[in-house]
């Protein structure tokens, strides 16, 4: 065996030179360690054959009966030197020494694993040879193999990076052979789950999920393992949602704790909605999810696992417009979760409270400090919608701090935020408590949460209450935490009766709860010709996620298409692929006796600019219910297209309503299913009415508060000042 050593390897001071060892052997030929060290010195000088001869001559000259003692002695010396070379980053030399260790102790599994690790680091092409050798060695053992679990996980980790596209054969082979010795070990399960968490935080979702799957193979009743599988699969998106359903069903089956049942049913419901699958199964998932939420909210249990469901309940908004009941469930859930968080971190809560009790500098001494908290300071609807308020803030009267809970490398909108806010844009991978501590240290007066119940971290921080005034704005809906003082709304987006079922005080802005300066529009990539639609055809358009689609709403849309001659329906979903969408919608269309040739399924546009350009092809947009469009409605109105929306009771069912009222368009507002169909048919048949609406919408760009970000910023600032004055007066 010929082994290439690192260049210019210096012999450690603990080793003598070759001549000195040779002299020692002459003086004391029976001191066997001199032969071991002489061989090692020769090996380090690159004289491999001489090293082997030196070691073997000792065995031959003095007899093999001592080998049981000598072999461990020699391998220990070699091992110590290999570890020293590894510490000095001399990996080629360390690998060479370990190859010789393998000759003396061929069944040393740790040494073989370490050799494989070094081969990965050295980019050796024949790594599979040692993997096959490892498999052969373990298969010949009569006892359960023993291995260094940390080293095994490290080797598996590094194997992922040999061939990131298809690393699984290597990993499966290694992991399979070690399962007998790992099946009772909790240590390696924790190691694997930590790796899964690390790769999830690094946005390497395939690898993250696979580490979760390895852990699950060792403990098939672990809810932690399944969560580490499902959460990265969700981030991968459409291609993995069916797999999410399968894992969610397994999770639900093994769940014993009520909190696990909530999480499992949440995962199942989310995946079922995303893939537009069987509606019967989706409704079943919804019903059990709602029941599990009720059980937790009413049981008042106080277990550590409650923290895991801090943001649960957001999918109630997608399937039911029933805020009088569902808001109370969310409020109860928030209450029990909040109690646990504040009890667990009571010391931090007390520190924050002490600050609130101290005299604050007057507004003449320093401006109000407003902190904004979100995972979405990036290319996301929330990141886009919040931009105008944050950009137009009066920096002389308000100190603005941003606390970003997520980092996306090379995200253009995130870079905009960084440039705009500089050292006031805080973005660190910190725990929820550490971020809450930072907010307290910055002496934030009013903390504004942008994520609502979409973010675990945001919910946890709000429950801790690191600022004397806390506000919810944007997001899905209010959080339900009593530590949140206000929920920003307007006079349309929530009915007057809403305060009866909100725990937060509803703060109604005078005109609208959201405002932007407008949108940029790109170049369209679709046309009537490319879609085979005649020039005189009436085009209806619907662009929503699979979450927002349901048979009842689709059935109403089909009734509109049926009653409008020469009409066509363009459907697009941001998360569900076209085939899933077709399989979901076509049977409903056929049941309503719609010729499927009148339906067009278009792919998602790669950018928002292109989407808005393509949207211009529509004559009428049909909104979803019970969860309306938000950003999609703003885009529709900006592009000057009439929209039909069904107005409901909950916040999510009134977004389009408030936006239309703020641009002065009431045509298309439906308060019942019947009105929804009537408006859809009327707008399709009445070209003059459509033109009047288009004119109103174009004019609204110069007149509507919906398109005036500066004015909106002043109204929000006025609200903050009033909130602060109320706080001061109450003290």
């Amino acid at each position: 065996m010929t082994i290439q050593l690192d260049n210019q390897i210096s012999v450690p001071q603990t080793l003598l030179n070759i001549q000195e060892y040779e002299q020692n052997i002459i003086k004391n030929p029976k001191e066997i360690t001199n032969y071991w060290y002489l061989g090692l010195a020769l090996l380090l000088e690159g004289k491999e054959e001489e090293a082997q001869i030196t070691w073997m001559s000792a065995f031959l000259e003095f007899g093999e009966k001592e080998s049981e003692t000598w072999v461990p002695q020699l391998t220990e010396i070699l091992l110590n030197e290999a570890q020293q070379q590894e510490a000095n980053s001399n990996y080629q030399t360390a690998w060479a020494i370990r190859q010789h260790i393998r000759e003396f102790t061929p069944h040393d599994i740790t040494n073989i694993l370490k050799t494989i690790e070094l081969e990965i680091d050295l980019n050796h092409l024949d790594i599979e040879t040692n993997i096959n050798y490892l498999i052969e060695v373990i298969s010949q053992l009569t006892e359960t193999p023993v291995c260094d679990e940390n080293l095994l996980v490290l080797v598996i980790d590094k194997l992922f990076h040999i061939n990131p596209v298809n690393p699984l054969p290597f990993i499966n082979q290694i992991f399979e052979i070690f399962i007998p010795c790992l099946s009772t070990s909790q240590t390696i399960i924790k190691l694997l789950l930590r790796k899964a968490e690390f790769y999830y935080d690094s946005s390497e979702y395939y690898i993250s999920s696979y580490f979760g799957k390895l852990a699950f193979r060792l403990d098939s009743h672990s809810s932690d393992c399944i969560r580490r599988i499902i959460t990265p699969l969700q981030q991968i998106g459409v291609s993995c949602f069916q797999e999410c359903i399968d894992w969610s069903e397994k999770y639900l089956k093994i769940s014993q704790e009520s909190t696990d049942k909530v999480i499992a049913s949440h995962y199942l419901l989310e995946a079922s909605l995303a893939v537009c699958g069987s509606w019967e199964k989706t409704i079943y998932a919804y019903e059990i999810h709602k029941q599990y939420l009720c059980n937790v909210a009413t049981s008042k249990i106080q277990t550590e696992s409650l923290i895991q469901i801090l943001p649960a309940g957001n999918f109630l908004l997608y399937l039911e417009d029933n805020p009088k009941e569902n808001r109370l469930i969310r409020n109860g859930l928030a209450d029990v979760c909040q109690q646990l968080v504040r009890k667990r971190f009571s010391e931090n809560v007390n520190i924050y409270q002490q600050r609130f009790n101290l005299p604050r500098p007057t507004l003449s001494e320093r401006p109000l400090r407003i902190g904004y908290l979100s995972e979405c300071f990036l290319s996301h609807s929330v990141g886009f919608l919040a931009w105008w308020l944050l950009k137009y803030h009066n920096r002389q009267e308000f100190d603005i701090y941003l606390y970003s809970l997520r980092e996306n490398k090379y995200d253009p909108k995130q870079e905009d935020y960084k440039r705009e806010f500089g050292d006031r844009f805080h973005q660190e991978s910190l725990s929820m408590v550490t971020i809450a501590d930072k907010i307290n240290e910055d002496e934030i007066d009013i903390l504004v949460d942008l994520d609502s119940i979409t973010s675990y971290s945001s919910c946890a921080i709000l429950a801790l209450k690191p600022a004397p005034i806390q506000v919810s704005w944007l997001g899905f809906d209010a959080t339900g935490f009593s530590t949140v003082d206000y929920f920003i709304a307007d006079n349309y987006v929530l009915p007057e009766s809403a305060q009866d079922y909100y725990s937060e005080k509803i703060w109604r802005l005078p005109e609208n709860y959201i405002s932007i300066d407008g949108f940029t529009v790109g170049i369209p990539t679709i046309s009537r010709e490319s879609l085979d639609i005649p020039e005189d055809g009436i085009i209806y358009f619907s662009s929503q996620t699979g979450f927002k689609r349901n048979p009842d709403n689709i059935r109403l849309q089909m009734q509109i298409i049926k009653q409008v001659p020469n009409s066509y329906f363009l459907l697009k979903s941001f998360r569900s692929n076209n085939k899933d969408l077709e399989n979901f919608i076509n049977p409903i269309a056929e049941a309503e006796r719609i010729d499927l040739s009148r339906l067009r399924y278009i792919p998602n546009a790669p950018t928002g600019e292109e989407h808005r350009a393509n949207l211009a092809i529509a004559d009428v947009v049909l909104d979803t219910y019970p969860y309306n469009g938000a950003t999609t409605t703003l885009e529709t109105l900006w592009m000057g297209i009439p929209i039909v929306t069904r107005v409901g009771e909950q916040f999510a069912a009134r977004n389009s309503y408030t936006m239309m009222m703020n641009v002065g368009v009431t045509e298309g507002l439906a308060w019942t299913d019947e009105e929804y169909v009537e408006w859809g048919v009327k707008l399709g048949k009445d070209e003059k009415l459509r033109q009047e609406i288009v004119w109103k919408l174009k004019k609204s760009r110069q007149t509507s508060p919906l398109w005036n970000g500066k004015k909106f910023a002043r109204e929000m600032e006025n609200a903050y000042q009033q909130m602060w004055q109320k706080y001061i007066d109450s003290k």
Side-chain angles (χ1 to χ4, degrees):
M1 175 174 61
T2 302
I3 299 172
Q4 178 68 42
L5 300 177
D6 292 303
N7 294 328
Q8 299 179 335
I9 295 298
S10 59
V11 178
Q13 294 180 354
T14 53
L15 287 176
L16 304 175
N17 59 41
I18 293 172
Q19 291 77 15
E20 288 175 305
Y21 281 122
E22 290 175 340
Q23 290 297 320
N24 287 345
I25 289 173
I26 293 172
K27 292 177 183 179
N28 189 3
K30 292 187 177 181
E31 177 51 57
I32 200 68
T33 57
N34 286 325
Y35 292 90
W36 309 151
Y37 282 109
L38 173 59
L40 177 56
L42 289 166
L43 179 62
L44 292 173
E45 287 287 330
K47 301 176 181 179
E48 180 193 352
E49 291 186 6
E50 293 180 44
Q52 291 175 308
I53 292 171
T54 300
W55 290 326
M56 298 312 299
S57 65
F59 287 105
L60 294 173
E61 184 173 347
F62 298 106
E64 295 188 8
K65 63 180 181 179
E66 303 290 343
S67 62
E68 290 186 6
T69 303
W70 291 349
V71 168
Q73 189 181 68
L74 172 57
T75 54
E76 183 178 358
I77 291 170
L78 294 177
L79 178 60
N80 289 337
E81 183 60 27
Q83 292 170 342
Q84 183 62 46
Q85 295 294 339
E86 289 158 7
N88 294 333
S89 301
N90 298 322
Y91 300 129
Q92 183 68 39
T93 301
W95 175 82
I97 295 171
R98 286 191 177 277
Q99 290 289 77
H100 285 282
I101 293 174
R102 198 183 87 176
E103 292 184 7
F104 293 109
T105 56
H107 296 142
D108 185 339
I109 294 172
T110 297
N111 182 63
I112 302 171
L113 280 172
K114 192 65 184 179
T115 303
I116 294 172
E117 184 205 353
L118 289 168
E119 287 180 335
I120 298 170
D121 292 340
L122 292 165
N123 295 317
H124 282 195
L125 298 177
D126 61 344
I127 184 172
E128 194 169 357
T129 301
N130 265 320
I131 293 177
N132 290 332
Y133 177 74
L134 178 65
I135 295 171
E136 181 183 348
V137 166
I138 294 182
S139 65
Q140 293 175 355
L141 295 179
T142 57
E143 298 178 352
T144 301
V146 178
C147 75
D148 181 333
E149 294 172 346
N150 285 282
L151 177 58
L152 175 61
V153 173
L154 180 60
V155 168
I156 291 173
D157 188 10
K158 290 187 175 184
L159 279 170
F160 269 107
H161 297 89
I162 294 176
N163 182 0
V165 177
N166 187 25
L168 306 188
F170 282 140
I171 299 167
N172 280 336
Q173 288 175 7
I174 289 183
F175 199 76
E176 190 70 38
I177 60 176
F178 279 105
I179 283 180
C181 70
L182 301 174
S183 57
T184 59
S185 172
Q186 289 300 312
T187 302
I188 194 166
I189 293 175
K190 292 177 181 178
L191 288 170
L192 292 168
L193 292 180
R194 279 202 295 271
K195 281 293 179 184
E197 182 178 7
F198 169 79
Y199 281 112
Y200 182 84
D201 292 339
S202 303
S203 301
E204 297 190 56
Y205 301 122
Y206 279 107
I207 300 179
S208 173
S209 180
Y210 195 77
F211 271 106
K213 291 173 183 176
L214 293 180
F216 183 77
R217 292 180 67 182
L218 299 177
D219 187 356
S220 59
H221 289 85
S222 168
S223 56
D224 287 342
C225 294
I226 292 191
R227 282 197 299 273
R228 287 297 174 194
I229 296 169
I230 297 176
T231 49
L233 289 176
Q234 290 173 318
Q235 295 298 323
I236 294 169
V238 173
S239 61
C240 292
F241 273 119
Q242 185 56 53
E243 190 177 356
C244 284
I245 291 176
D246 297 338
W247 282 106
S248 299
E249 289 174 342
K250 289 180 183 178
Y251 189 4
L252 198 57
K253 188 175 181 180
I254 67 170
S255 295
Q256 299 296 324
E257 296 285 336
S258 55
T259 50
D260 278 327
K261 292 181 184 294
V262 167
I263 298 170
S265 58
H266 171 93
Y267 287 154
L268 180 59
L269 181 56
E270 178 179 17
S272 298
L273 284 168
V275 300
C276 296
S278 164
W279 192 248
E280 290 75 15
K281 290 184 178 179
T282 300
I283 291 299
Y284 167 74
Y286 175 73
E287 289 173 347
I288 62 172
H289 179 59
K290 184 173 179 178
Q291 185 58 57
Y292 293 145
L293 289 172
C294 288
N295 292 344
V296 174
T298 57
S299 65
K300 305 298 181 182
I301 59 172
Q302 289 287 307
T303 65
E304 285 294 309
S305 59
L306 266 178
I307 293 179
Q308 299 168 359
I309 61 170
L310 276 166
N314 52 313
F315 280 108
L316 297 178
L317 304 174
Y318 286 101
L319 284 101
E320 192 178 18
D321 181 21
N322 186 9
K324 293 180 178 64
E325 182 177 298
N326 291 341
R327 281 305 315 172
L328 296 180
I329 294 173
R330 175 58 208 172
N331 294 346
L333 192 67
D335 183 56
V336 294
C337 291
Q338 176 183 294
Q339 288 181 39
L340 178 63
V341 171
R342 293 177 67 81
K343 180 179 179 181
R344 180 174 174 182
F345 300 103
S346 58
E347 185 175 342
N348 302 79
V349 171
N350 289 335
I351 291 172
Y352 308 153
Q353 190 62 49
Q354 288 171 18
R355 174 170 75 90
F356 305 162
N357 294 330
L358 294 173
R360 181 206 178 276
T362 64
L363 295 181
S364 61
E365 293 177 283
R366 75 160 174 82
L368 273 179
R369 291 185 178 174
I370 312 296
Y372 288 90
L373 178 71
S374 180
E375 289 186 348
C376 301
F377 293 118
L378 39 81
S379 298
H380 181 280
S381 289
V382 168
F384 176 80
L385 297 177
W387 170 256
W388 307 102
L389 166 63
L390 301 181
K391 176 184 177 181
Y392 288 133
H393 260 309
N394 185 330
R395 308 291 177 85
Q396 282 70 49
E397 294 187 17
F398 297 87
D399 280 343
I400 307 301
Y401 294 73
L402 272 59
Y403 301 92
S404 176
L405 303 178
R406 186 171 65 176
E407 180 175 8
N408 275 31
K409 294 180 180 178
Y410 315 119
D411 183 272
K413 179 53 74 174
Q414 190 171 84
E415 293 304 311
D416 289 343
Y417 275 111
K418 289 179 179 179
R419 282 191 295 270
E420 182 72 23
F421 294 94
D423 60 1
R424 296 293 177 89
F425 183 85
H426 299 291
Q427 185 176 58
E428 301 169 277
S429 298
L430 303 174
S431 69
M432 59 184 186
V433 177
T434 308
I435 296 172
D437 286 343
K438 175 64 177 169
I439 292 168
N440 181 61
E441 290 167 11
D442 288 340
E443 297 184 357
I444 297 301
D445 299 313
I446 301 177
L447 181 64
V448 184
D449 162 53
L450 307 184
D451 295 342
S452 180
I453 50 177
T454 64
S455 167
Y456 165 82
S457 297
S458 291
C459 286
I461 292 166
L462 292 173
L464 291 167
K465 198 173 176 66
I469 298 176
Q470 297 194 148
V471 178
S472 283
W473 177 58
L474 292 181
F476 271 41
D477 200 347
T479 63
F481 293 125
S482 62
T483 53
V484 177
D485 302 277
Y486 300 107
F487 178 47
I488 301 291
D490 58 37
N491 292 318
Y492 302 113
V493 78
L494 285 176
E496 292 182 7
S497 60
Q499 191 61 70
D500 295 341
Y501 43 83
Y502 275 88
S503 62
E504 303 88 344
K505 175 68 176 177
I506 298 173
W507 190 285
R508 296 181 188 269
L509 297 176
E511 292 180 301
N512 47 293
Y513 85 94
I514 182 65
S515 181
I516 63 173
D517 277 0
F519 295 94
T520 57
V521 181
I523 300 172
T525 56
I526 61 173
S527 65
R528 288 175 177 261
E529 183 180 4
S530 67
L531 296 173
D532 192 24
I533 296 176
E535 287 300 318
D536 60 348
I538 304 300
I539 296 179
Y540 290 90
F541 193 99
S542 174
S543 174
Q544 295 294 355
T545 69
F547 295 154
K548 294 185 179 182
R549 299 192 187 277
N550 63 77
D552 292 336
N553 186 236
I554 294 168
R555 196 169 291 111
L556 297 179
Q557 293 170 342
M558 294 304 162
Q559 290 173 17
I560 294 170
I561 304 301
K562 184 177 180 179
Q563 295 181 50
V564 179
N566 199 27
S567 64
Y568 297 82
F569 195 15
L570 271 61
L571 296 114
K572 167 187 162 184
S573 178
F574 290 96
R575 299 193 69 173
S576 182
N577 64 46
N578 287 342
K579 197 61 182 176
D580 288 338
L581 197 58
E582 289 182 45
N583 293 338
F584 185 63
I585 289 178
N586 284 356
I588 302 173
E590 290 176 325
E592 293 294 325
R593 298 183 179 180
I594 299 293
D595 186 344
L596 297 184
S597 66
R598 297 172 68 182
L599 307 184
R600 300 288 188 276
Y601 296 94
I602 61 175
N604 186 24
T607 65
E609 289 82 358
E610 183 178 313
H611 161 69
R612 290 185 282 276
N614 289 339
L615 182 60
I617 198 174
D619 293 300
V620 182
V621 166
L622 299 179
D623 199 8
T624 49
Y625 174 84
Y627 203 123
N628 295 166
T631 304
T632 52
T633 297
L634 285 169
E635 290 172 323
T636 299
L637 299 175
W638 180 258
M639 294 302 296
I641 302 170
I643 183 172
V644 180
T645 187
R646 166 76 160 83
V647 186
E649 290 294 312
Q650 65 184 6
F651 182 86
R654 297 170 71 92
N655 264 302
S656 296
Y657 169 50
T658 187
M659 292 169 187
M660 289 175 67
M661 293 298 290
N662 272 285
V663 293
V665 174
T666 58
E667 297 88 348
L669 292 175
W671 297 88
T672 65
D673 289 348
E674 291 75 19
E675 286 185 10
Y676 183 88
V677 174
E678 288 171 6
W679 271 118
V681 173
K682 186 174 184 178
L683 288 172
K685 291 182 175 181
D686 193 336
E687 182 179 0
K688 182 180 178 181
L689 178 59
R690 293 200 306 271
Q691 291 175 345
E692 291 174 356
I693 295 171
V694 170
W695 182 82
K696 285 183 181 180
L697 292 175
K698 295 295 184 183
K699 186 179 178 181
S700 77
R701 288 190 179 188
Q702 283 72 47
T703 60
S704 171
L706 195 64
W707 314 123
N708 193 334
K710 285 185 180 180
K711 184 172 184 290
F712 179 74
R714 301 293 84 81
E715 291 178 353
M716 283 287 277
E717 289 171 347
N718 184 50
Y720 293 153
Q721 290 170 333
Q722 292 181 48
M723 291 174 189
W724 185 253
Q725 190 59 52
K726 285 178 177 288
Y727 174 73
I728 295 301
D729 292 345
S730 69
K731 295 187 69 174

